[in-house]
Amino acid sequence: MANPVPLIPGEVVQPPAKRSRHDLDTIIAETDGNVNAVERSSSLWFNDGNIVLIASGVMAFRVHRGVLAYHSTVFDDLFQLPQPEEGELMDGCPIVHISDRPVDVSHLLHALYDGPGFFKHGQLLPFGVVAALVELGYKYHIEAARAEGLQRMRTCFCNSFKAMQATQWIDIKKNNETGGMELGLISSSLLVILSKHAIRAVNLIRVIDEMEMLPMALYLCTLLPVSALVPRTTTPAKRVHILNEDDLVRCLEARAVYAVRDSKFRERLWSTDTFNDVCAGLGDCATIIASRSNFEAENMVVASVRNPLGGYEAAIREQTELCSGCTEELLTVQREEIRRIWQRLPTDFGLEVPHWDWTL
């Protein structure tokens, strides 16, 4: 087969130090020795492959030692260890058991085999794919996968106001029998579905110690219902991402803070005090804004889940009878209110983030 290509062309990665046998043993998962019931991957089972990875005891990938060793110093070290004469075989190939989720292993292997083609320019990748690259990139010392994943993560889990303003909140149709919509966040290269990805993002960021991404990840968790935040029991085979106790408390307390902040946001947004100098509507705009202000006051219910960083641009644009000056002023007030909330985001969660940027 052809020599594998680097994930990111031209990137030079300094390999980490060799691992000891003890370190490598922590990578390899325990197994009951029964491989007959293991499902074979339909897309990552190469007839000329010479090694089989079995993920979580349920999914097998027949791949090439050379490809794994080329990209991963962990696998390279592993393959250089003496192998038992009567080791496990599957279709004549040695078996390596790993504890990672099959879907994550599949994402990583596709990235390794597809190379730069896996990361098409301008293509959104779901967070689940990116998280697999980052998590397994760290675990197996695959620097290019880790770097690509981190670059994409930082576009949504950002630490600057400008980067946050470049993201977009979207409603996504649920892919289940109940239907309905759920909240998502997209950037130029990443799609985050809050119900599926927010908690995993927090846990992954803590594992890789990239604290500048943590405030935004925790904020996304505050937008989840309490039932999604509070740990629940599940079967051992079904993994559920849960927050640690400290992060759970942070999110529950912040929900109340943001509910109040959002109410103050709407109150200031629809105030008529700041529009006298910009209005060209000859009094009509003041009436429209006063009407909206009264509506907000009469319906000022502090909801359990609010998204003040999402703003109210749609509501502003709905006021089609406003003059252009007042519309722009509302958008300016909105941006400043969002920036005010963004500035305090780390401290709202009790975090110290040295390079938190709230400049325009």
Side-chain angles (χ1 to χ4, degrees):
M1 62 173 293
N3 291 330
V5 294
L7 292 181
I8 302 177
E11 181 174 17
V12 178
V13 177
Q14 182 68 33
K18 269 191 173 299
R19 289 171 174 253
S20 68
R21 177 66 201 234
H22 173 74
D23 292 334
L24 293 172
D25 285 344
T26 65
I27 297 293
I28 308 306
E30 295 183 359
T31 173
D32 59 9
N34 180 20
V35 299
N36 295 325
V38 174
E39 181 181 354
R40 302 181 184 201
S41 169
S42 59
S43 60
L44 291 160
W45 187 269
F46 299 101
N47 292 332
D48 64 342
N50 54 9
I51 193 77
V52 172
L53 301 181
I54 296 183
S56 297
V58 296
M59 179 67 71
F61 305 88
R62 183 173 177 176
V63 290
H64 304 88
R65 290 169 54 128
V67 172
L68 298 181
Y70 180 85
H71 289 292
S72 165
T73 58
V74 172
F75 281 115
D76 187 32
D77 291 346
L78 175 66
F79 296 148
Q80 294 183 41
L81 294 175
Q83 301 300 313
E85 294 183 2
E86 298 183 358
E88 277 188 295
L89 298 176
M90 190 172 188
D91 282 15
C93 298
I95 294 173
V96 176
H97 290 270
I98 54 180
S99 60
D100 312 293
R101 297 194 316 159
V103 64
D104 290 343
V105 175
S106 177
H107 292 323
L108 179 67
L109 291 175
H110 275 294
L112 298 186
Y113 275 91
D114 296 347
F118 185 79
F119 308 104
K120 295 179 181 178
H121 180 70
Q123 179 186 24
L124 289 178
L125 284 183
F127 178 76
V129 176
V130 172
L133 299 180
V134 173
E135 184 174 335
L136 300 190
Y138 268 89
K139 179 177 180 180
Y140 296 112
H141 288 187
I142 305 175
E143 176 60 21
R146 183 195 71 87
E148 174 70 27
L150 281 176
Q151 181 180 350
R152 289 175 181 260
M153 279 185 66
R154 291 189 179 108
T155 61
C156 278
F157 303 100
C158 45
N159 68 327
S160 78
F161 182 70
K162 288 181 180 179
M164 190 276 292
Q165 289 277 278
T167 62
Q168 181 180 355
W169 299 92
I170 59 171
D171 290 322
I172 302 171
K173 187 175 181 180
K174 291 183 178 179
N175 188 22
N176 56 32
E177 296 179 356
T178 61
M181 307 296 288
E182 57 185 332
L183 188 60
L185 182 68
I186 62 172
S187 67
S188 59
S189 61
L190 183 64
L191 165 63
V192 180
I193 302 175
L194 273 59
S195 64
K196 296 179 180 179
H197 302 145
I199 294 176
R200 183 179 185 184
V202 170
N203 294 337
L204 176 57
I205 289 166
R206 286 212 173 273
V207 167
I208 63 178
D209 196 28
E210 295 281 345
M211 291 299 107
E212 290 181 354
M213 293 194 283
L214 188 58
M216 190 60 181
L218 288 170
Y219 177 81
L220 296 189
C221 288
T222 68
L223 304 180
L224 298 174
V226 172
S227 60
L229 291 175
V230 177
R232 59 190 184 278
T233 58
T234 184
T235 60
K238 184 178 181 182
R239 301 182 184 181
V240 175
H241 296 283
I242 61 174
L243 295 172
N244 66 42
E245 184 175 342
D246 290 340
D247 285 337
L248 176 60
V249 171
R250 286 185 174 95
C251 290
L252 292 177
E253 291 179 347
R255 283 162 60 91
V257 171
Y258 290 128
V260 173
R261 293 240 180 101
D262 181 77
S263 297
K264 295 295 185 182
F265 183 163
R266 287 177 286 151
E267 180 181 337
R268 285 190 285 262
L269 178 63
W270 300 108
S271 170
T272 59
D273 295 341
T274 59
F275 294 89
N276 295 333
D277 296 335
V278 299
C279 182
L282 301 178
D284 292 339
C285 291
T287 302
I288 295 169
I289 294 172
S291 176
R292 180 70 191 213
S293 178
N294 291 334
F295 172 82
E296 293 290 340
E298 293 170 359
N299 296 273
M300 192 62 75
V301 177
V302 178
S304 59
V305 178
R306 285 292 187 182
N307 179 21
L309 287 183
Y312 289 94
E313 183 169 348
I316 294 171
R317 301 289 185 188
E318 287 174 0
Q319 312 303 315
T320 57
E321 297 181 0
L322 289 176
C323 73
S324 60
C326 285
T327 298
E328 288 303 315
E329 185 66 16
L330 282 170
L331 294 173
T332 299
V333 172
Q334 173 191 243
R335 184 177 65 250
E336 287 304 310
E337 289 295 325
I338 294 174
R339 192 162 75 98
R340 187 202 307 259
I341 293 168
W342 177 262
Q343 179 180 354
R344 300 169 66 179
L345 206 67
T347 55
D348 287 340
F349 293 105
L351 303 173
E352 293 185 8
V353 181
H355 304 293
W356 193 255
D357 183 5
W358 58 89
T359 58
L360 291 173

